[in-house]
Amino acid sequence: MERRKAVARATSRLQLLLAGSRSAPPMASSEEQTEPRPPVLLLRRVAPAYDAAVSEKFHLLRPWESPLPRDQFLAAHAGSVRALLISGLVTLDAATLDALPRLGCVVTTSAGVNHIDLAACARRGIAVANAGTVFSPDAADYAVGLLIDVLRRVSASDRYVRRGLWPVKGDYPLGFKLGSKRVGIVGLGSIGSQTAKRLEAFGCTILYYSRKNKPSVPYKYLPNVCDLAAESDVLVVSCALTSETHHIINKDVMAALGKEGIIINVGRGPLVDEDELVRRLMQGELGGAGLDVFENEPAVPKELFLMDNVVLSPHRAVFTSESFADLGQLLAANLEAFFSNRPLLTPVNQNDL
């Protein structure tokens, strides 16, 4: 009797399961459940942190992984590529844009955009996004660090100790204090503004030159860089590189700055006339320099290697582990905004062209 009841219950459960399976819609496969990720083209490898952050949500097209020559690879994907991710090492010209007729957005990993033909992008209606202000705090920290190093001779003193010269030659020559220095900021954008705030805390007097006077800031504005140099002990160069700012720090500016003047460059190498800078440093017509960028990177004038009043850095001012992580998220967010028809988070204002 009990056995018949157990069989009946099992049969009833099986019938319910069968009925449910007939009425329920068929389960979608994992491929059907997942929408395809939008393709994003790379023209050159980007930092692994950026690649990882973006590839979580987008299908990255990497030409170097294909057996096809690059022009054929671009032609094969020209009909589907709407977004491009590039680094500051990639020159984006009109010819490349012509090869990508559906392109609608360019996202660069750099704050500067001198490697992008912005006029050509504007003509084609292509939106451009950059790194925004992600790098600004780190670049400002680095500018101050370079200046302290040049004035107080930190790196030079380190070399003096490591060479065993302290017990042999005695105390190292004195440096100069940072407080009370008159610091001229060339380009009071995000990096320049944050550098100014940091230097204020050290007791420096801040002056600036920028494309436009900024009445909202408490610093003295000078209408040209020569005038700024004449009233400054230090020039911090942090403006964008354009055709107008190329060699903005020229022989006239250096002459106005004087033989004790110091130049700190965390912007772009070609902002400074490098040959003139080297010549004046060699002849004692400038007090020193802190350089994170150079005209023909990674080449650096060998004459600078022997100068203890010059601090050199391999274009690292903006890079920290934290900024890499933050930028990776920003790159992905800009691409998400584009594909969702929302405003970009850090658009480059092409109306200023």
Side-chain angles (χ1 to χ4, degrees):
M1 183 69 176
E2 290 299 325
R3 178 179 175 81
R4 285 198 297 272
K5 288 182 179 179
V7 170
R9 287 196 296 270
T11 302
S12 177
R13 285 197 298 270
L14 178 59
Q15 288 173 340
L16 287 173
L17 287 172
L18 289 174
S21 66
R22 285 192 295 269
S23 61
M27 289 187 65
S29 67
S30 60
E31 293 182 355
E32 291 174 332
Q33 288 178 328
T34 305
E35 294 184 4
R37 292 175 296 167
V40 173
L41 176 66
L42 296 176
L43 294 179
R44 181 172 174 168
R45 286 180 175 86
V46 295
Y50 307 157
D51 189 296
V54 174
S55 61
E56 286 183 4
K57 298 179 180 179
F58 301 94
H59 173 53
L60 296 183
L61 301 174
R62 305 177 176 92
W64 59 90
E65 294 180 352
S66 170
L68 294 175
R70 188 176 115 157
D71 58 342
Q72 293 183 26
F73 183 90
L74 295 184
H77 295 279
S80 62
V81 170
R82 296 178 56 215
L84 176 65
L85 174 62
I86 62 173
S87 73
L89 299 175
V90 173
T91 298
L92 184 59
D93 54 20
T96 303
L97 296 175
D98 287 341
L100 301 168
R102 292 200 65 210
L103 189 67
C105 179
V106 175
V107 177
T108 178
T109 63
S110 62
V113 290
N114 56 292
H115 57 298
I116 300 173
D117 189 336
L118 292 177
C121 288
R123 288 194 299 271
R124 292 164 173 78
I126 299 171
V128 178
N130 67 352
T133 61
V134 166
F135 292 136
S136 299
D138 297 316
D141 289 348
Y142 213 85
V144 175
L146 286 173
L147 178 54
I148 292 174
D149 197 339
V150 174
L151 287 170
R152 298 303 306 274
R153 301 175 177 175
V154 179
S155 293
S157 297
D158 176 83
R159 292 190 295 269
Y160 188 79
V161 172
R162 290 175 187 273
R163 291 170 185 165
L165 298 178
W166 190 9
V168 177
K169 293 189 174 183
D171 291 339
Y172 192 75
L174 297 176
F176 303 92
K177 69 183 296 181
L178 174 57
S180 77
K181 288 290 184 290
R182 300 170 301 164
V183 180
I185 308 291
V186 182
L188 199 69
S190 179
I191 293 173
S193 296
Q194 296 206 32
T195 302
K197 289 179 181 179
R198 284 157 172 74
L199 289 172
E200 271 191 297
F202 284 94
C204 295
T205 298
I206 306 299
L207 311 91
Y208 76 98
Y209 164 80
S210 205
R211 284 186 303 173
K212 298 176 182 178
N213 187 9
K214 302 185 177 184
S216 61
V217 302
Y219 316 128
K220 181 178 179 179
Y221 170 74
L222 280 301
N224 61 71
V225 184
C226 276
D227 289 347
L228 178 69
E231 294 195 27
S232 300
D233 302 307
V234 177
L235 288 182
V236 176
V237 187
S238 58
C239 60
L241 176 61
T242 67
S243 57
E244 290 78 20
T245 60
H246 182 270
H247 283 189
I248 192 171
I249 308 301
N250 56 26
K251 63 179 182 179
D252 295 330
V253 172
M254 295 181 206
L257 185 60
K259 67 178 183 178
E260 295 182 356
I262 293 171
I263 294 174
I264 304 295
N265 190 3
V266 292
R268 287 288 188 270
L271 293 168
V272 176
D273 184 340
E274 196 169 85
D275 290 339
E276 183 67 17
L277 175 68
V278 171
R279 186 190 71 77
R280 287 181 176 271
L281 286 167
M282 291 179 66
Q283 295 185 4
E285 296 176 8
L286 279 174
L291 308 172
D292 180 57
V293 287
F294 305 89
E295 280 213 62
N296 300 295
E297 296 176 4
V300 177
K302 292 183 173 62
E303 296 89 342
L304 299 175
F305 296 169
L306 301 176
M307 298 182 186
D308 280 341
N309 59 338
V310 176
V311 179
L312 306 173
S313 171
H315 204 150
R316 294 284 94 184
V318 301
F319 299 124
T320 62
S321 299
E322 294 86 351
S323 68
F324 263 60
D326 292 342
L327 181 56
Q329 297 305 311
L330 177 63
L331 297 173
N334 268 315
L335 288 167
E336 282 187 283
F338 169 71
F339 283 106
S340 302
N341 294 316
R342 292 184 279 108
L344 300 177
L345 278 70
T346 53
V348 175
N349 187 359
Q350 300 178 50
N351 293 326
D352 291 340
L353 296 175

